[in-house]
């Protein structure tokens, strides 16, 4: 059962930016995973990943940048970063969970809403696409420890936090088993590397103290994190109010992906325009 509640839908602009809930909640447009091969063309899409031998030297010759400048690696499910987490060490990826009633994949739009797939690239079954982290990505972070994380600071429900302008719609006070949102995708121009803009679905548990748990998903424009101004699909999680746990996308262990057609952190296309076409993404989180 999916309830349209327990959800914060936030549209933010910030001049600073930084999020464990794990195994029990799953995201519809992704549930994630990771040994490295270059993004395969659609010709290899039906191959069995477990029977393939990946030769790094050969694969590197075949690498090409996607239109957003990314390199996407196809990583075996069991080798994804999630399984570096102490509580997931030695575990095997589970089959994707059943979707709630009325949310079957047949009724969903196509998954090819990201730039990296426009040139016909895809990852074979048994792997997931992971956006490669570059040296430039790391150098833009204020420190290695802070890379891929939100800054530790008080998270508020209101709009009075210094330097952080946002609008929030939320419901609370009952027992919820999921949330869904359709989010319009724009490409706002932020004024410098340290600003960001986003629109997201935010499922939370706990208080706004040290026990805050969140699962977040949506799109963001963040030149500090990605080095450009494309709106990119992202996820975030934390189990201790952004202090020691959680991160964006797959930049730390804990979040298990199973979908081989969606690259978390990759650019979304097309986007909405004023007086023109309108485009959105649908997100579903359920337990």
């Amino acid at each position: 059962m999916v309830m349209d509640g327990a959800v914060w839908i936030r549209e933010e602009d910030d001049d600073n930016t930084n999020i464990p809930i794990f195994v029990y909640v799953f995201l519809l447009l992704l549930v994630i995973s990771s040994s490295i091969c270059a993004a395969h063309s659609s010709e290899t899409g039906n191959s069995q990943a477990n029977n393939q031998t990946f030769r790094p030297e050969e694969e590197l010759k075949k690498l090409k940048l996607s239109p957003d400048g990314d390199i996407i690696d196809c990583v075996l499910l069991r080798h994804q970063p999630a399984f570096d987490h102490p509580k997931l060490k030695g575990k095997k990826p589970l089959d994707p969970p059943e979707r709630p009633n009325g949310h079957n994949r047949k009724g969903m739009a196509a998954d090819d809403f990201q730039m990296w797939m426009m040139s016909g690239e895809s990852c074979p079954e048994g792997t997931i696409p992971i956006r490669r982290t570059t040296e430039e990505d790391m150098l833009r972070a204020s420190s290695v420890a802070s890379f891929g994380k939100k800054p530790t600071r008080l998270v508020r429900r209101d709009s009075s936090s210094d330097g952080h302008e946002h609008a929030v719609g939320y419901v609370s006070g009952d027992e919820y088993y999921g949330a869904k949102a359709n989010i319009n995708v724009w490409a706002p121009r932020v004024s410098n590397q340290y600003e960001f803009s986003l629109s997201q679905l935010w499922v939370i548990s706990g208080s706004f103290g040290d026990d805050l748990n969140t699962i977040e998903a949506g799109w963001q424009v963040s030149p500090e994190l990605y080095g450009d101004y494309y709106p990119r699909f992202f996820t975030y999680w934390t189990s201790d109010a952004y202090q020691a746990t959680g991160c964006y996308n797959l930049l730390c262990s804990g979040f298990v992906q199973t979908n081989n057609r969606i690259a978390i952190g990759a650019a979304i296309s097309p986007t909405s325009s004023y007086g023109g076409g309108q485009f959105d993404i649908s997100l579903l989180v359920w337990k």
Side-chain angles (χ1 to χ4, degrees), residues 7 27 37 46 95 99 129 178-179 186 197 203 222 255 263 271 281:
V7 50
L27 286 169
C37 66
N46 296 324
D95 291 332
R99 290 177 175 81
W186 295 82
S197 185
V203 180
S222 177
F255 184 74
T271 59
I281 55 175

Side-chain angles (χ1 to χ4, degrees), residues 206-227:
S207 67
F208 277 71
D210 294 344
D211 66 337
L212 182 68
N213 280 249
T214 80
I215 292 177
E216 307 175 40
W219 62 261
Q220 64 181 170
V221 173
S222 177
E224 181 180 18
L225 189 59
Y226 304 106

Side-chain angles (χ1 to χ4, degrees), residues 39-40 45 72-75 116 121-125 127-130 260:
H40 281 56
I72 303 297
D73 293 309
C74 297
V75 177
W116 73 278
E121 300 294 326
S122 65
C123 285
E125 294 293 332
T127 72
I128 59 159
I130 295 183
N260 70 324

Side-chain angles (χ1 to χ4, degrees), residues 177-239:
Y177 294 88
K180 182 179 180 181
N182 295 324
I183 301 178
N184 204 323
V185 182
W186 295 82
R189 184 76 180 183
V190 297
S191 61
N192 63 62
Q193 174 179 316
Y194 301 104
E195 289 192 341
F196 76 94
S197 185
L198 65 77
S199 185
Q200 70 173 62
L201 175 151
W202 192 16
V203 180
I204 67 172
S205 176
S207 67
F208 277 71
D210 294 344
D211 66 337
L212 182 68
N213 280 249
T214 80
I215 292 177
E216 307 175 40
W219 62 261
Q220 64 181 170
V221 173
S222 177
E224 181 180 18
L225 189 59
Y226 304 106
D228 56 37
Y229 294 88
Y230 291 117
R232 292 173 175 271
F233 179 69
F234 82 94
T235 61
Y236 205 105
W237 63 271
T238 183
S239 63

